[in-house]
């Protein structure tokens, strides 16, 4: 399995079996049953994410992205995203308010995608410029900031507030508010539920924490693990990370 995603209500599960297809499972009684297979990508699907409204977004190594919505007849239909990616997409994450999503790219930048009603299509706007591929994404609970991790050992937090993005992006949109040397390439990033703490897991088997309430220059606390590096992290409450 190359990627998977569970809907907010835990009723739907999307799974990519390391191919270009997406399998949709629905919870029936106490078991998940496969209901449909989505086929639009031409290469391996590299990222899946559910919005709070029940829409699914998929990205692939074929440089494309699709937003999937289920009709009243139960059939899933896709909408193309104008990603304009020169290289493969590596990861994807919906904003907490479900209005936008971010796509990490191996072309060293990040696409913030929004729905353009005039053309009935999802459109991408690029932010940031790393020295290597983007490997991890996390939205701030307010949907105003986006944290990215990359293989150039950097963890950045960008200002991506919607009022600075639309209808025309201001000079402040996409500005890096925080930039930290992670010591190794970054596997995962996460904000605490209040948005006051940023955590990022690195390939050197460390997890690093930054207290954002102390400002962008605050020191980073490092927790070292004696085993293999962590690939995914998630906050459970304000003070616990798994």
């Amino acid at each position: 399995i190359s990627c998977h995603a569970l809907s907010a209500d835990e009723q739907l599960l999307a799974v990519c079996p390391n191919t270009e297809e997406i399998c949709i499972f629905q919870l029936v009684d106490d078991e998940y049953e496969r209901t449909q297979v989505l086929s639009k990508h031409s290469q391996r699907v590299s990222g899946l994410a559910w919005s709070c409204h029940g829409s699914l977004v998929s990205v692939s190594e074929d440089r494309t992205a699709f937003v999937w919505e289920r009709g009243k007849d139960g059939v899933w239909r896709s909408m193309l995203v104008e990603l304009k990616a020169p290289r493969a997409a590596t990861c994807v994450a919906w904003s907490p308010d479900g209005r936008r999503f971010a796509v990490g790219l191996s072309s060293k930048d990040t696409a913030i995608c929004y729905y353009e009603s005039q053309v009935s299509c999802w459109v991408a706007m690029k932010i940031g410029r790393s020295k290597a591929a983007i490997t991890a994404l996390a939205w701030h609970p307010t949907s105003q900031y986006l944290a990215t991790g990359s293989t150039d050992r950097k963890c950045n937090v960008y200002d991506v507030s919607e009022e600075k993005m639309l209808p025309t992006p201001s000079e402040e949109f996409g500005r890096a508010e925080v930039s930290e040397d992670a010591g190794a390439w970054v596997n995962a990033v996460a904000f605490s539920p209040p948005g006051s703490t940023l955590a990022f897991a690195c390939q050197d088997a460390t997890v690093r924490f930054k207290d954002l309430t102390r400002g962008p220059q605050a020191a980073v606390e490092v927790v070292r693990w004696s085993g293999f590096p962590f690939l995914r992290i998630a906050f459970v409450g304000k003070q616990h990370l798994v």
Side-chain angles (χ1 to χ4, degrees):
I1 294 177
S2 58
C3 55
H4 68 282
L6 187 66
S7 62
D9 60 4
E10 300 183 357
Q11 295 298 307
L12 296 170
L13 174 66
V15 176
C16 172
N18 206 34
T19 66
E20 69 279 4
E21 295 183 333
I22 305 165
C23 299
I24 302 296
F25 294 82
Q26 186 165 359
L27 185 63
V28 179
D29 295 329
D30 294 328
E31 296 184 357
Y32 284 97
E33 296 182 359
R34 193 173 76 174
T35 58
Q36 194 168 345
V37 177
L38 311 181
S39 302
K40 270 290 186 179
H41 295 287
S42 59
Q43 295 184 33
R44 188 175 73 108
V45 176
S46 52
L48 295 165
W50 293 96
S51 76
C52 59
H53 305 303
S55 298
L56 175 69
V57 62
S58 62
V59 299
S60 168
E61 294 174 351
D62 64 4
R63 304 177 297 170
T64 64
F66 292 95
V67 174
W68 303 83
E69 295 186 354
R70 183 167 60 175
K72 295 181 179 180
D73 56 0
V75 178
W76 289 88
R77 294 177 176 85
S78 64
M79 183 177 296
L80 181 65
V81 180
E82 288 190 1
L83 197 56
K84 298 179 181 179
R87 296 184 182 177
T90 57
C91 49
V92 63
W94 278 99
S95 62
D97 60 12
R99 295 171 59 88
R100 297 174 295 166
F101 59 87
V103 181
L105 303 170
S106 56
S107 55
K108 309 175 186 178
D109 49 6
T110 303
I112 307 296
C113 303
Y114 65 98
Y115 185 74
E116 179 54 74
S117 58
Q118 293 182 352
V119 294
S120 300
C121 179
W122 290 84
V123 180
M125 191 177 294
K126 305 291 181 60
I127 64 165
R129 188 64 182 176
S130 301
K131 295 181 180 179
I134 306 299
T135 53
L137 299 167
W139 286 85
H140 191 269
T142 62
S143 299
Q144 294 183 352
Y145 300 95
L146 178 73
T148 67
S150 50
T151 54
D152 62 354
R153 310 191 319 175
K154 285 290 186 180
C155 180
N156 296 315
V157 177
Y158 297 100
D159 184 345
V160 294
S161 57
E162 193 169 357
E163 57 268 22
K164 295 179 182 179
M165 176 181 179
L166 301 173
T168 303
S170 66
E171 293 182 0
E172 291 82 11
F173 175 73
R175 182 174 61 188
E177 301 291 342
V178 174
S179 183
E180 291 292 341
D181 186 345
W185 76 64
V186 181
N187 291 329
V189 291
F191 284 102
S192 63
S196 57
T197 302
L198 173 67
F200 44 107
C202 309
Q203 189 64 17
D204 61 356
T206 63
V207 179
R208 300 169 186 247
F209 297 87
K210 187 177 181 69
D211 185 352
L212 300 176
T213 62
R214 298 182 179 180
Q217 303 304 321
V220 174
E221 298 181 24
V222 181
V223 178
R224 297 191 179 275
W225 171 247
S226 59
F228 292 110
F230 297 109
L231 300 180
R232 296 290 182 270
I233 55 175
F235 275 93
V236 181
K238 296 187 295 184
Q239 299 180 340
H240 297 86
L241 184 81
V242 295

PDB file of all heavy atoms in Angstrom, residues 182-199:
ATOM      1  N   ALA A 182      16.261  20.863  10.099  1.00  0.00           N
ATOM      2  CA  ALA A 182      15.778  19.653  10.766  1.00  0.00           C
ATOM      3  C   ALA A 182      16.883  18.646  11.039  1.00  0.00           C
ATOM      4  O   ALA A 182      16.638  17.627  11.693  1.00  0.00           O
ATOM      5  CB  ALA A 182      14.685  19.005   9.927  1.00  0.00           C
ATOM      6  N   GLY A 183      18.072  18.859  10.522  1.00  0.00           N
ATOM      7  CA  GLY A 183      19.172  17.936  10.765  1.00  0.00           C
ATOM      8  C   GLY A 183      19.188  16.732   9.842  1.00  0.00           C
ATOM      9  O   GLY A 183      20.221  16.072   9.684  1.00  0.00           O
ATOM     10  N   ALA A 184      18.067  16.420   9.235  1.00  0.00           N
ATOM     11  CA  ALA A 184      17.947  15.305   8.281  1.00  0.00           C
ATOM     12  C   ALA A 184      16.666  15.562   7.495  1.00  0.00           C
ATOM     13  O   ALA A 184      15.910  16.480   7.796  1.00  0.00           O
ATOM     14  CB  ALA A 184      17.882  13.962   8.990  1.00  0.00           C
ATOM     15  N   TRP A 185      16.434  14.745   6.458  1.00  0.00           N
ATOM     16  CA  TRP A 185      15.216  15.008   5.703  1.00  0.00           C
ATOM     17  C   TRP A 185      13.994  14.742   6.567  1.00  0.00           C
ATOM     18  O   TRP A 185      14.000  13.918   7.471  1.00  0.00           O
ATOM     19  CB  TRP A 185      15.193  14.261   4.380  1.00  0.00           C
ATOM     20  CG  TRP A 185      14.910  12.793   4.400  1.00  0.00           C
ATOM     21  CD1 TRP A 185      13.776  12.169   4.800  1.00  0.00           C
ATOM     22  CD2 TRP A 185      15.799  11.763   3.934  1.00  0.00           C
ATOM     23  NE1 TRP A 185      13.872  10.818   4.615  1.00  0.00           N
ATOM     24  CE2 TRP A 185      15.106  10.536   4.078  1.00  0.00           C
ATOM     25  CE3 TRP A 185      17.079  11.742   3.398  1.00  0.00           C
ATOM     26  CZ2 TRP A 185      15.676   9.316   3.729  1.00  0.00           C
ATOM     27  CZ3 TRP A 185      17.636  10.529   3.041  1.00  0.00           C
ATOM     28  CH2 TRP A 185      16.942   9.351   3.215  1.00  0.00           C
ATOM     29  N   VAL A 186      12.922  15.468   6.279  1.00  0.00           N
ATOM     30  CA  VAL A 186      11.734  15.466   7.127  1.00  0.00           C
ATOM     31  C   VAL A 186      10.727  14.446   6.611  1.00  0.00           C
ATOM     32  O   VAL A 186      10.345  14.469   5.440  1.00  0.00           O
ATOM     33  CB  VAL A 186      11.098  16.871   7.176  1.00  0.00           C
ATOM     34  CG1 VAL A 186       9.869  16.866   8.076  1.00  0.00           C
ATOM     35  CG2 VAL A 186      12.118  17.902   7.667  1.00  0.00           C
ATOM     36  N   ASN A 187      10.279  13.561   7.508  1.00  0.00           N
ATOM     37  CA  ASN A 187       9.297  12.542   7.134  1.00  0.00           C
ATOM     38  C   ASN A 187       7.863  12.966   7.410  1.00  0.00           C
ATOM     39  O   ASN A 187       6.942  12.538   6.709  1.00  0.00           O
ATOM     40  CB  ASN A 187       9.579  11.245   7.896  1.00  0.00           C
ATOM     41  CG  ASN A 187      10.851  10.560   7.452  1.00  0.00           C
ATOM     42  OD1 ASN A 187      11.245  10.660   6.289  1.00  0.00           O
ATOM     43  ND2 ASN A 187      11.515   9.873   8.373  1.00  0.00           N
ATOM     44  N   ALA A 188       7.656  13.794   8.438  1.00  0.00           N
ATOM     45  CA  ALA A 188       6.292  14.156   8.825  1.00  0.00           C
ATOM     46  C   ALA A 188       6.307  15.462   9.605  1.00  0.00           C
ATOM     47  O   ALA A 188       7.287  15.771  10.291  1.00  0.00           O
ATOM     48  CB  ALA A 188       5.657  13.048   9.664  1.00  0.00           C
ATOM     49  N   VAL A 189       5.220  16.210   9.504  1.00  0.00           N
ATOM     50  CA  VAL A 189       5.036  17.448  10.271  1.00  0.00           C
ATOM     51  C   VAL A 189       3.623  17.457  10.843  1.00  0.00           C
ATOM     52  O   VAL A 189       2.713  16.840  10.284  1.00  0.00           O
ATOM     53  CB  VAL A 189       5.270  18.709   9.407  1.00  0.00           C
ATOM     54  CG1 VAL A 189       6.720  18.848   9.037  1.00  0.00           C
ATOM     55  CG2 VAL A 189       4.400  18.681   8.155  1.00  0.00           C
ATOM     56  N   ALA A 190       3.438  18.161  11.965  1.00  0.00           N
ATOM     57  CA  ALA A 190       2.118  18.222  12.588  1.00  0.00           C
ATOM     58  C   ALA A 190       2.036  19.440  13.499  1.00  0.00           C
ATOM     59  O   ALA A 190       3.028  19.824  14.131  1.00  0.00           O
ATOM     60  CB  ALA A 190       1.837  16.957  13.390  1.00  0.00           C
ATOM     61  N   PHE A 191       0.843  20.039  13.550  1.00  0.00           N
ATOM     62  CA  PHE A 191       0.539  21.092  14.509  1.00  0.00           C
ATOM     63  C   PHE A 191      -0.279  20.489  15.650  1.00  0.00           C
ATOM     64  O   PHE A 191      -1.100  19.585  15.432  1.00  0.00           O
ATOM     65  CB  PHE A 191      -0.287  22.205  13.863  1.00  0.00           C
ATOM     66  CG  PHE A 191       0.493  23.131  12.968  1.00  0.00           C
ATOM     67  CD1 PHE A 191       0.419  22.991  11.590  1.00  0.00           C
ATOM     68  CD2 PHE A 191       1.288  24.130  13.496  1.00  0.00           C
ATOM     69  CE1 PHE A 191       1.120  23.849  10.752  1.00  0.00           C
ATOM     70  CE2 PHE A 191       1.986  24.997  12.675  1.00  0.00           C
ATOM     71  CZ  PHE A 191       1.909  24.852  11.293  1.00  0.00           C
ATOM     72  N   SER A 192      -0.088  21.005  16.845  1.00  0.00           N
ATOM     73  CA  SER A 192      -0.938  20.612  17.964  1.00  0.00           C
ATOM     74  C   SER A 192      -2.341  21.169  17.741  1.00  0.00           C
ATOM     75  O   SER A 192      -2.521  22.125  16.984  1.00  0.00           O
ATOM     76  CB  SER A 192      -0.359  21.140  19.277  1.00  0.00           C
ATOM     77  OG  SER A 192      -0.337  22.559  19.269  1.00  0.00           O
ATOM     78  N   PRO A 193      -3.378  20.596  18.362  1.00  0.00           N
ATOM     79  CA  PRO A 193      -4.753  21.072  18.148  1.00  0.00           C
ATOM     80  C   PRO A 193      -4.952  22.572  18.361  1.00  0.00           C
ATOM     81  O   PRO A 193      -5.666  23.208  17.574  1.00  0.00           O
ATOM     82  CB  PRO A 193      -5.567  20.235  19.140  1.00  0.00           C
ATOM     83  CG  PRO A 193      -4.793  18.966  19.257  1.00  0.00           C
ATOM     84  CD  PRO A 193      -3.351  19.361  19.173  1.00  0.00           C
ATOM     85  N   PRO A 194      -4.312  23.210  19.361  1.00  0.00           N
ATOM     86  CA  PRO A 194      -4.468  24.671  19.478  1.00  0.00           C
ATOM     87  C   PRO A 194      -3.625  25.435  18.464  1.00  0.00           C
ATOM     88  O   PRO A 194      -3.792  26.648  18.319  1.00  0.00           O
ATOM     89  CB  PRO A 194      -3.988  24.965  20.914  1.00  0.00           C
ATOM     90  CG  PRO A 194      -3.905  23.649  21.590  1.00  0.00           C
ATOM     91  CD  PRO A 194      -3.625  22.650  20.530  1.00  0.00           C
ATOM     92  N   GLY A 195      -2.689  24.729  17.785  1.00  0.00           N
ATOM     93  CA  GLY A 195      -1.817  25.382  16.824  1.00  0.00           C
ATOM     94  C   GLY A 195      -0.619  26.064  17.439  1.00  0.00           C
ATOM     95  O   GLY A 195       0.099  26.796  16.753  1.00  0.00           O
ATOM     96  N   SER A 196      -0.366  25.812  18.712  1.00  0.00           N
ATOM     97  CA  SER A 196       0.720  26.497  19.413  1.00  0.00           C
ATOM     98  C   SER A 196       2.060  25.777  19.312  1.00  0.00           C
ATOM     99  O   SER A 196       3.107  26.379  19.578  1.00  0.00           O
ATOM    100  CB  SER A 196       0.356  26.672  20.889  1.00  0.00           C
ATOM    101  OG  SER A 196       0.073  25.418  21.492  1.00  0.00           O
ATOM    102  N   THR A 197       2.048  24.516  18.930  1.00  0.00           N
ATOM    103  CA  THR A 197       3.286  23.728  18.849  1.00  0.00           C
ATOM    104  C   THR A 197       3.405  23.083  17.479  1.00  0.00           C
ATOM    105  O   THR A 197       2.432  22.538  16.949  1.00  0.00           O
ATOM    106  CB  THR A 197       3.310  22.635  19.935  1.00  0.00           C
ATOM    107  OG1 THR A 197       3.178  23.233  21.219  1.00  0.00           O
ATOM    108  CG2 THR A 197       4.617  21.857  19.888  1.00  0.00           C
ATOM    109  N   LEU A 198       4.609  23.144  16.916  1.00  0.00           N
ATOM    110  CA  LEU A 198       4.924  22.473  15.652  1.00  0.00           C
ATOM    111  C   LEU A 198       5.863  21.321  15.951  1.00  0.00           C
ATOM    112  O   LEU A 198       6.862  21.486  16.656  1.00  0.00           O
ATOM    113  CB  LEU A 198       5.594  23.449  14.689  1.00  0.00           C
ATOM    114  CG  LEU A 198       6.145  22.858  13.382  1.00  0.00           C
ATOM    115  CD1 LEU A 198       5.006  22.372  12.493  1.00  0.00           C
ATOM    116  CD2 LEU A 198       7.006  23.884  12.644  1.00  0.00           C
ATOM    117  N   ALA A 199       5.534  20.137  15.416  1.00  0.00           N
ATOM    118  CA  ALA A 199       6.392  18.966  15.573  1.00  0.00           C
ATOM    119  C   ALA A 199       6.784  18.446  14.203  1.00  0.00           C
ATOM    120  O   ALA A 199       5.975  18.478  13.272  1.00  0.00           O
ATOM    121  CB  ALA A 199       5.678  17.871  16.366  1.00  0.00           C
TER     122      ALA A 199
END
